[in-house]
């Protein structure tokens, strides 16, 4: 019996976010309910039921827009607690 490969490489994206160089690897794994996924060297990951949205999401993760950068900066600010 021949062992079949179930995970296929789809693409690699290189970029920066939060001041750090990152690499995102996109794959397809036919054994998962959502076979298309990407994983970043920063620890983030996301999965999709189809290939649509995979490239866009992975690219935007490695090349955040100015709006994304502003949201990341605001998220790091200390929260003001109200009573």
């Amino acid at each position: 019996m021949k062992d079949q490969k179930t995970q296929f490489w789809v693409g690699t994206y290189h970029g920066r976010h939060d001041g750090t160089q990152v690499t995102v690897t996109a794959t397809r794994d036919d054994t998962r309910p959502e076979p298309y996924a990407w994983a970043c060297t920063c620890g983030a990951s996301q999965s999709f039921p189809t290939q649509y949205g995979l490239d866009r999401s992975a690219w935007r993760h490695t090349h955040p827009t100015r709006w994304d950068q502003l949201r990341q900066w605001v998220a790091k600010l200390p929260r003001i607690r109200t009573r």
Side-chain angles (χ1 to χ4, degrees):
M1 183 174 200
K2 189 175 174 181
D3 184 28
Q4 284 192 300
K5 203 176 201 181
T6 58
Q7 188 172 15
F8 301 97
W9 170 77
V10 176
T12 304
Y13 305 85
H14 303 276
R16 301 180 82 71
H17 65 79
D18 293 335
T20 307
Q21 186 74 26
V22 294
T23 302
V24 169
T25 304
T27 57
R28 186 184 88 200
D29 184 350
D30 294 333
T31 62
R32 297 173 41 145
E34 292 187 326
Y36 293 91
W38 59 258
C40 183
T41 53
C42 74
S45 63
Q46 194 168 4
S47 60
F48 303 88
T50 66
Q51 74 270 22
Y52 303 109
L54 176 71
D55 289 327
R56 185 177 190 188
S57 175
W59 176 263
R60 191 163 176 182
H61 184 75
T62 56
H63 298 85
T65 63
R66 291 285 182 203
W67 178 249
D68 293 334
Q69 292 172 358
L70 179 62
R71 283 193 340 221
Q72 291 170 0
W73 179 77
V74 168
K76 291 179 186 176
L77 292 176
R79 299 280 178 198
I80 298 173
R81 292 176 49 173
T82 59
R83 289 184 180 202

